[in-house]
Amino acid sequence: MKALLRLMRTETAGRFIPAFSSRFSSTILSFFVLLTASHFLPTQEYGLYVFLFSIGSGLGLIAVLGQQILVVKHYQRTEPTSNPQNQALIDVNARWLALGCLVLLGAALPLWLFAEQLPPTYRYLWLAFVFAAIFALSEYYQNYFRIHGRINLSLVPREIVWRGSSILCIAGAALAGSMMGGVGAMAIVTGLLAATTLYQSAAFLRDEGLGWVGAHGRIPRETRSAWRRESGYFIANNTLNSAAAYLETVLIGALLGLEEAGFYFVALRIAMLLTLPISAIDTVGIPMIAAHFQKSDTAGAQLVIGRLSFASFCISLLGALGLAVVAPFVLHLFNPEFVKHEDVLTVLCVLAVSLAFFGPGSWLLMIGGGERFFLIARAILFVLYLGLLYGLARLAGLIGIAAAGLILSTASSLVAWYWIKHRWGIDNMATAFFRPFLFGGAPKPAVPPLPGRPEAEGASR
């Protein structure tokens, strides 16, 4: 207990708490966006909104093309923005992002032109693609600003302003009688996201200027090749992440119906309240851990990881116990019919707590040079998951789909833990917090150099 209290007085907690507060406010606002949409939209139209939003969010996470990870891994935050490597990195990021966004917008055009020839559920897919292009840029900005420690600029525009204004605008449009069903709600959130992303773009240009344009040619070709290779692995891993996060909702909407998709999306978002501590770790902890990596400080990295994983797990577990009590009431707020699926929400809550237990495992693996290993392992797991998803869905319906997601998530976390422990001698489980006192002390690294050193980069390949 004394150790935990000391943790709360550290500089880490000073950064963690504001990030957690922002993420908590974001998730609460996200909850009320869903609640507002479900209140003002018929069940079928609400399901359509959820269907389009899931597709747009999933494609947006893919279209960022791994640049949100690349900038966290290689941006030298102790150097000025005029540093040649930093400017070259921003130039490379911009080129990849432009490619991803242009592909999405190019795909949206024929979907819009030939919308009337598509089945009713898919006539507004073009809007999901436009949303995805904006979401990809917003995702990059969140990670760019957090490596500079500018948590408010990283989180407030999208997580607070966008969601809060979405609640007001959806409610206002519905009360004014101008809401055009689920498509109207999707159009509102797309326009508001564009506005907040434009604000972040202006802040980005104030920080970086335009000196980075064409700067990729100022660094060695070998470095550019390494970044390109890493980006390929990050893209593939992001694709798997996106599929794991949104595939179930999209498949439910396409195969079981929009009403079932609406419930599953709500249940998943409620359960994701329990991942708030993980989000705070991703926002604040990863840049701090990356700084320890760049200095080859194994002990310092292990200390930060153990503390943050333990704190996130404790908060998530307490939240899950509380949610178990109020779950029926919360589901009833959205739709009385949702209460009969309470068991599905329970499985999703177990998934969220398990993610918290493993802390920033996947991020550590990605910035630690294990992206190729993780890609291969997760590709194998994903193939097995698809078979499991099909079998459990036929056998148990919605709860079978949730169980398949839980199994995939746990298996992926164990794979990441195994690689991190055997490559760098770092334990990312919540139990690592007790290593200074139990289990023989902190683990010793299996390989001396840490990520960020040239020899470490080569070791992963």
Side-chain angles (χ1 to χ4, degrees), residues 120-413:
T121 303
Y122 306 102
R123 286 179 184 171
Y124 297 98
L125 275 179
W126 64 269
L127 184 56
F129 277 68
V130 173
F131 176 87
I134 302 169
F135 191 87
L137 191 57
S138 175
E139 185 71 13
Y140 175 79
Y141 284 143
Q142 279 206 341
N143 288 273
Y144 167 82
F145 287 118
R146 79 179 186 176
I147 61 177
H148 292 282
R150 303 175 69 180
I151 303 303
N152 287 336
L153 195 51
S154 170
L155 297 180
V156 171
R158 191 175 91 183
E159 305 301 331
I160 308 299
V161 175
W162 173 53
R163 299 184 194 280
S165 58
S166 294
I167 295 171
L168 297 176
C169 290
I170 290 174
L175 293 173
S178 58
M179 175 69 76
M180 298 174 57
V183 175
M186 187 65 187
I188 288 172
V189 300
T190 300
L192 293 173
L193 181 62
T196 56
T197 304
L198 182 62
Y199 174 79
Q200 287 180 307
S201 297
F204 170 82
L205 290 175
R206 282 198 306 269
D207 288 350
E208 293 287 347
L210 294 175
W212 50 268
V213 177
H216 72 285
R218 303 173 195 166
I219 60 172
R221 180 174 299 178
E222 294 77 12
T223 301
R224 299 200 303 272
S225 298
W227 289 354
R228 186 164 52 248
R229 182 168 53 250
E230 289 177 343
S231 294
Y233 291 131
F234 295 154
I235 292 168
N237 275 295
N238 276 351
T239 301
L240 292 177
N241 281 336
S242 178
Y246 295 101
L247 177 63
E248 293 162 0
T249 301
V250 173
L251 286 180
I252 290 170
L255 301 178
L256 300 182
L258 294 177
E259 294 182 13
E260 287 78 4
F263 158 75
Y264 195 85
F265 191 80
V266 166
L268 191 59
R269 286 300 174 270
I270 293 172
M272 289 304 103
L273 285 167
L274 305 177
T275 65
L276 284 171
I278 309 171
S279 299
I281 284 178
D282 289 348
T283 303
V284 175
I286 292 300
M288 296 171 63
I289 295 166
H292 284 290
F293 278 1
Q294 291 171 2
K295 295 184 293 186
S296 291
D297 182 8
T298 309
Q302 175 67 81
L303 186 61
V304 173
I305 292 165
R307 287 175 170 179
L308 293 179
S309 296
F310 178 71
S312 70
F313 173 67
C314 289
I315 298 171
S316 293
L317 183 60
L318 290 174
L321 296 176
L323 187 56
V325 177
V326 301
F329 171 75
V330 175
L331 290 174
H332 190 275
L333 287 176
F334 287 89
N335 192 320
E337 292 296 317
F338 288 176
V339 179
K340 65 184 179 183
H341 299 302
E342 181 186 352
D343 52 351
V344 177
L345 178 57
T346 300
V347 175
L348 293 175
C349 287
V350 174
L351 185 156
V353 174
S354 72
L355 286 173
F357 178 79
F358 286 97
S362 59
W363 263 104
L364 290 174
L365 190 145
M366 299 292 276
I367 67 174
E371 57 272 4
R372 182 169 180 265
F373 168 84
F374 204 31
L375 173 61
I376 295 172
R378 294 187 72 195
I380 295 171
L381 289 175
F382 193 75
V383 171
L384 298 175
Y385 161 72
L386 291 177
L388 189 65
L389 181 64
Y390 175 78
L392 291 179
R394 287 179 59 89
L395 182 65
L398 287 175
I399 195 170
I401 293 173
L406 171 60
I407 294 171
L408 173 66
S409 173
T410 304
S412 297
S413 296

